[in-house]
Amino acid sequence: MLQTTSVSATRLAVLIGEFDRSPAYAGLAHALRELIGDGRIGHGTRLPSERDLTVALGVSRTTVTRAYAALRDTGFAEARQGSGTFTRLPGGPVRALDRALWPTDVGDGVIDLVCAAATAPPGIAAAYAEAAADLPAHLGGHGYFPAGMPDLQAAIAATYDARGLPTTPEQIIVTPGALAATAVVGSALAGPRERVLVESPTYPNAVQALRAGGGRLLSIRLDPSGWDLEAVEDVLVRRGPRLVHVMPDFHNPTGLVMTAAERERYACALARHDAVAVVDEAHHLLLLDDGEALPPFATWSSESVSVGSASKSVWGGLRLGWIRAPHRLVDRLTRARVGLDLGAPVLEQLVLLRLLTGEHDAIVELQRRRLREQRNALAEALATSLPELTFRLPAGGMALWCHLPEPGATALAIEAERHGVLLAPGPSFAPDGGLDRYLRLPYAVAADDLRTAVDRIAAAWAVVRAGRGGPPRSGGTSDPVLVA
């Protein structure tokens, strides 16, 4: 992430907002660590003087002095003689980057627009600390919960009740993320001789997960304007897929939302042809504009299996997902799950339980607010610097699905890497290839970084259109691993 050189006391006070004042210096230090840790204050940023921050926050000088000292002691700041206090990150600015996901020689300042995942919103560190305090009560047991801790199953079931879909705790299976949940469904319900229908474009990792049981893949084109239900019905008649993967809420990567009428028609077609829908609901909470969220797809399709996740609405590092299944499939899915793993980590489950029974709605709203601002900033930057890229502004989700005036998304991704931006071109989302006129641009990073990224992409696109692009750099990659 690109860093600013300084942050004013007034701006920092706004970012900090309310903080725990018992004692005040500890609460202030905690708030600052969260701001630095999740990137809202960049690595290497000069913090305001103690005197200026004292005035901006209305606290004592001692409070700020002790808070800055606590930051230094924990590795989140350093004092530079004659220059002030600067933010840092324990282990350096790339401490959180998995090198398997990045080219080996990208260098500092690279903006990652491959991964559609945001930094943790405020409050996550506190939830982990509180969950850790709850952990000793569970250490006397074996720690294995193949279907999930009962209290968490009940809390997740309650979220479906609130959405108008009655659900019992027994219908919930907790997994280490939505992909693990999808793999369980693929393993349990689609054997080697059975067909699995997926959309194109779609989230590529879900495709791989659905193949866990050896199912044979079919794909159907998803038009940028919406679902072609006549084509879906035709495939159901002619090819008889056992599983059908659908993302009705803020589809990844297109951002499309299936209407209530479409959900009803789709569900009826599935029922007529004895096909089971695997419904990916990872993005359903990310409604960014005014309006009401639609009921779950399973409201119309009682035999469907829904897959949910905390990774998009809360944080990707909270590796928990779940399956919501009809009663008749729960035992089959649980048995398949045990063949893959024996349960999600207890601490993670305690964290999510605390969030669902406490601050979850507030945290999700903070996430929405950030994504809304970043979506609008990206759209404005594209309209100014890259008007030839067209897109439909999604009402939610985490990315724009951009159409290029000519094929070249793969070449653009290669050239953009040279300009310091990592991109996922359309073919990454095409199970059967193609879509080189499309580019997914997530708005999960800070608005300033998005504006910088668009300037760099525009420069790279000019090179590609002029025919001056070349092969990937030695040691680089044109296809970074796509994790979200």
Side-chain angles (χ1 to χ4, degrees):
M1 181 172 287
L2 300 178
Q3 293 87 30
T4 56
T5 58
S6 63
V7 58
S8 71
T10 301
R11 174 58 180 161
L12 185 54
V14 171
L15 290 172
I16 292 169
E18 295 298 321
F19 61 91
D20 185 0
R21 299 188 180 230
S22 302
Y25 84 88
L28 177 57
H30 175 78
L32 289 169
R33 279 195 297 270
E34 283 206 343
L35 291 170
I36 297 165
D38 69 15
R40 283 174 290 160
I41 303 176
H43 176 84
T45 297
R46 185 182 184 277
L47 295 173
S49 69
E50 294 175 4
R51 178 184 302 166
D52 289 347
L53 190 57
T54 294
V55 173
L57 292 176
V59 297
S60 71
R61 179 74 173 269
T62 301
T63 293
V64 176
T65 299
R66 294 186 68 184
Y68 276 13
L71 288 183
R72 293 192 295 270
D73 290 344
T74 53
F76 283 84
E78 63 180 358
R80 299 180 188 174
Q81 186 67 34
S83 297
T85 300
F86 290 76
T87 64
R88 64 186 300 272
L89 291 165
V94 297
R95 83 222 181 281
L97 300 180
D98 185 335
R99 303 309 298 176
L101 307 182
W102 282 56
T104 57
D105 60 348
V106 293
D108 292 338
V110 170
I111 301 172
D112 180 8
L113 295 188
V114 171
C115 185
T119 57
I124 299 304
Y128 269 87
E130 291 164 2
D134 294 338
L135 184 61
H138 300 273
L139 298 179
H142 49 61
Y144 292 110
F145 296 94
M149 298 178 68
D151 286 350
L152 180 57
Q153 289 178 284
I156 294 171
T159 68
Y160 286 98
D161 290 339
R163 295 170 64 197
L165 180 63
T167 301
T168 66
E170 293 75 22
Q171 290 178 266
I172 302 298
I173 301 171
V174 180
T175 63
L179 277 180
T182 304
V184 169
V185 178
S187 178
L189 303 183
R193 291 185 297 275
E194 293 176 305
R195 297 181 177 94
V196 178
L197 180 62
V198 299
E199 298 155 341
S200 181
T202 194
Y203 177 41
N205 294 348
V207 173
Q208 297 301 320
L210 286 168
R211 286 175 167 154
R216 292 182 289 168
L217 193 70
L218 303 172
S219 69
I220 187 169
R221 173 176 161 76
L222 176 62
D223 190 83
S225 63
W227 285 263
D228 184 345
L229 296 184
E230 287 187 8
V232 171
E233 291 168 351
D234 183 61
V235 172
L236 290 171
V237 170
R238 291 188 300 104
R239 307 299 297 278
R242 167 63 175 154
L243 290 183
V244 179
H245 184 254
V246 293
M247 284 187 281
D249 299 290
F250 312 121
H251 179 275
N252 182 10
T254 68
L256 290 167
V257 177
M258 196 179 289
T259 66
E262 288 172 329
R263 295 175 197 228
E264 182 176 19
R265 180 176 171 183
Y266 209 136
C268 289
L270 293 169
R272 283 197 302 271
H273 299 287
D274 196 28
V276 175
V278 185
V279 187
D280 186 332
E281 295 188 316
H283 290 162
H284 89 273
L285 284 174
L286 300 181
L287 174 63
L288 306 184
D289 294 336
D290 293 336
E292 293 292 327
L294 288 168
F297 188 92
T299 303
W300 292 273
S301 178
S302 61
E303 291 300 299
S304 67
V305 178
S306 302
V307 171
S309 172
S311 296
K312 299 300 184 181
S313 58
V314 180
W315 179 44
L318 182 57
R319 301 303 311 138
L320 284 181
W322 54 86
I323 298 167
R324 187 266 180 202
H327 285 284
R328 72 174 187 86
L329 292 177
V330 168
D331 184 65
R332 189 172 174 182
L333 289 165
T334 303
R335 290 177 182 274
R337 190 273 167 78
V338 171
L340 297 174
D341 69 77
L342 296 178
V346 172
L347 179 60
E348 299 275 286
Q349 295 191 64
L350 291 172
V351 172
L352 183 56
L353 176 60
R354 275 196 163 270
L355 292 175
L356 290 177
T357 56
E359 300 299 319
H360 183 258
D361 290 349
I363 285 174
V364 171
E365 184 52 41
L366 285 171
Q367 195 79 302
R368 287 177 180 145
R369 188 183 311 157
R370 289 199 297 174
L371 289 172
R372 185 183 305 117
E373 293 171 355
Q374 290 161 193
R375 178 200 62 180
N376 295 343
L378 176 58
E380 291 166 5
L382 288 170
T384 300
S385 301
L386 266 174
E388 58 266 49
L389 267 67
T390 58
F391 56 88
R392 179 190 53 80
L393 191 72
M398 302 190 84
L400 302 183
W401 185 236
C402 299
H403 183 264
L404 303 175
E406 61 191 66
T410 301
L412 176 57
I414 294 170
E415 185 61 32
E417 185 187 319
R418 295 189 180 93
H419 288 73
V421 181
L422 300 184
L423 298 176
S428 298
F429 304 89
D432 293 328
L435 297 178
D436 201 40
R437 281 180 178 265
Y438 289 90
L439 185 71
R440 188 187 75 168
L441 294 181
Y443 38 83
V445 301
D448 286 345
D449 287 350
L450 290 169
R451 297 183 187 101
T452 300
V454 169
D455 288 341
R456 295 179 183 181
I457 296 168
W461 181 237
V463 172
V464 171
R465 297 200 80 175
R468 301 195 304 272
R473 299 177 303 178
S474 174
T477 176
S478 61
D479 190 19
V481 177
L482 195 153
V483 298

